[in-house]
Amino acid sequence: MRNTSSRRIILAILMLIIACSLTSCEWLLSNWFDKDTKAVIIVTNEDSTIESYVSRMVFINGGDSICGASDTLTYEWSLETPSGSSTLLEEVVDGSESIESKRQFTPDIPGIYKVNLYIEDDDEDSNSSDKIINVKDKPQSAPTNLNLKSAEVDNITVEWEAVADTTQYLLFRAMNTLGPFNLKVYEGPLLEYTDNTVAPGTTYYYKVQAKNPAGMSNLSSYIESTTKLAVPANFQTTGNTTTSASLSWDNSQNATSYIVEKSLIEDGSYIEAFSGNGNSCILVELETSAVYYL
């Protein structure tokens, strides 16, 4: 019986000590949570671009900043801009209320912009963080060395050199040197393109332009390219004599004349036997009963 009473007294004393400890250490527990106070800045851009560009809105979010579970934060924002810029940080408004943890700005010139976030919680624990944002301008020059890589019957391949700070290239085509170069045949990141929308025996003119989210460069100088003529189809004999052969073929698109060559040896030397603008001919004065390769 005595032991039971003693245990009860000891237990009551322990509970009293614990209660007193919790009450007196309330500031210590609060400070334990506050030690994690940390400013965090996240930067995003329009159209999900990774880089920042002139005239494109930059979004700043400090909402992931860390503080104690029972604390609230106050936010102080500042922006350093390159010399000559008049850009200001703007509030982000949801309905009629400003979101203090967010800001935005539209850079007006290229250069280095620095955003600073200072946060402070209820217990005056604070932290500060900087974010450097390198803002780029539109491409400053048109692509150089626009060059014809190949020209076939049904395609033309052109290539060009890279331009700094470019995300896309635009290739335009025209039918004469004066243009207008308003038919866009390609837009993308590559430094060459094969145009498959061409006709045989036709001359085309190309210009290329560099682009990024801030804008476009000027157009390059033009290059000229002519596709090859297609080999006439259905080349055949339509009648033979002992010393002549009648031939015909289908017209080849954009061809203005045709040449027929002959040889007595398949892999030998061929000589011209006909030249003209029709799609048939008669070869005369052939060797009697000889086999000709045409």
Side-chain angles (χ1 to χ4, degrees):
M1 190 75 172
R2 182 178 299 173
N3 291 338
T4 301
S5 299
S6 298
R7 285 197 295 269
R8 288 177 178 173
I9 293 171
I10 293 172
L11 180 61
I13 293 172
L14 288 174
M15 292 179 64
L16 181 61
I17 292 172
I18 291 172
C20 292
S21 298
L22 290 175
T23 302
S24 61
C25 294
E26 181 178 353
W27 66 271
L28 182 61
L29 294 174
S30 176
N31 191 58
W32 170 263
F33 290 107
D34 290 341
K35 74 173 186 176
D36 288 331
T37 299
K38 181 180 180 181
V40 177
I41 301 175
I42 297 174
V43 177
T44 56
N45 299 283
E46 284 189 24
D47 304 327
S48 300
T49 56
I50 297 174
E51 305 289 349
S52 299
Y53 295 91
V54 172
S55 301
R56 309 293 287 186
M57 185 79 77
V58 178
F59 302 98
I60 313 297
N61 188 350
D64 288 339
S65 297
I66 299 169
C67 65
S70 61
D71 285 332
T72 58
L73 287 175
T74 57
Y75 299 82
E76 293 182 15
W77 294 94
S78 64
L79 175 66
E80 293 182 22
T81 63
S83 176
S85 172
S86 58
T87 297
L88 299 174
L89 272 181
E90 302 173 356
E91 293 184 346
V92 176
V93 178
D94 183 10
S96 60
E97 295 186 2
S98 174
I99 304 176
E100 293 303 314
S101 63
K102 295 182 179 181
R103 289 293 185 268
Q104 63 190 24
F105 71 95
T106 304
D108 53 358
I109 61 174
I112 300 299
Y113 293 72
K114 184 170 77 171
V115 174
N116 175 264
L117 170 60
Y118 173 84
I119 59 172
E120 186 174 292
D121 66 14
D122 301 327
D123 301 304
E124 298 184 351
D125 291 328
S126 63
N127 190 245
S128 180
S129 180
D130 292 326
K131 183 69 73 170
I132 300 298
I133 303 169
N134 183 13
V135 174
K136 298 180 179 180
D137 203 353
K138 67 180 182 180
Q140 296 302 293
S141 62
T144 58
N145 292 332
L146 180 59
N147 178 59
L148 172 65
K149 191 172 182 179
S150 66
E152 304 299 334
V153 172
D154 57 0
N155 65 76
I156 294 173
T157 300
V158 296
E159 59 186 357
W160 54 89
E161 291 190 357
V163 176
D165 298 330
T166 296
T167 57
Q168 302 277 300
Y169 295 94
L170 288 72
L171 183 65
F172 296 92
R173 191 180 78 197
M175 299 306 295
N176 60 70
T177 58
L178 298 179
F181 287 85
N182 56 6
L183 176 61
K184 183 173 66 176
V185 296
Y186 172 72
E187 180 174 355
L190 302 179
L191 296 177
E192 71 172 55
Y193 180 70
T194 298
D195 184 4
N196 295 304
T197 62
V198 294
T202 305
T203 300
Y204 297 93
Y205 302 85
Y206 294 91
K207 289 186 177 184
V208 68
Q209 185 176 41
K211 172 186 176 182
N212 68 24
M216 300 181 182
S217 71
N218 295 326
L219 284 167
S220 69
S221 56
Y222 73 84
I223 62 165
E224 173 185 342
S225 178
T226 302
T227 52
K228 296 178 180 178
L229 291 169
V231 176
N234 295 322
F235 183 43
Q236 59 187 327
T237 60
T238 57
N240 296 327
T241 69
T242 57
T243 59
S244 69
S246 297
L247 308 171
S248 69
W249 54 87
D250 291 345
N251 287 325
S252 176
Q253 185 178 357
N254 294 323
T256 57
S257 63
Y258 300 89
I259 297 173
V260 177
E261 296 180 336
K262 66 181 180 179
S263 175
L264 289 169
I265 303 173
E266 184 176 3
D267 295 327
S269 298
Y270 284 73
I271 62 173
E272 183 177 309
F274 168 81
S275 177
N277 57 9
N279 62 343
S280 65
C281 70
I282 299 175
L283 303 185
V284 297
E285 298 181 356
L286 301 177
E287 294 184 20
T288 302
S289 300
V291 176
Y292 282 87
Y293 297 91
L294 305 170

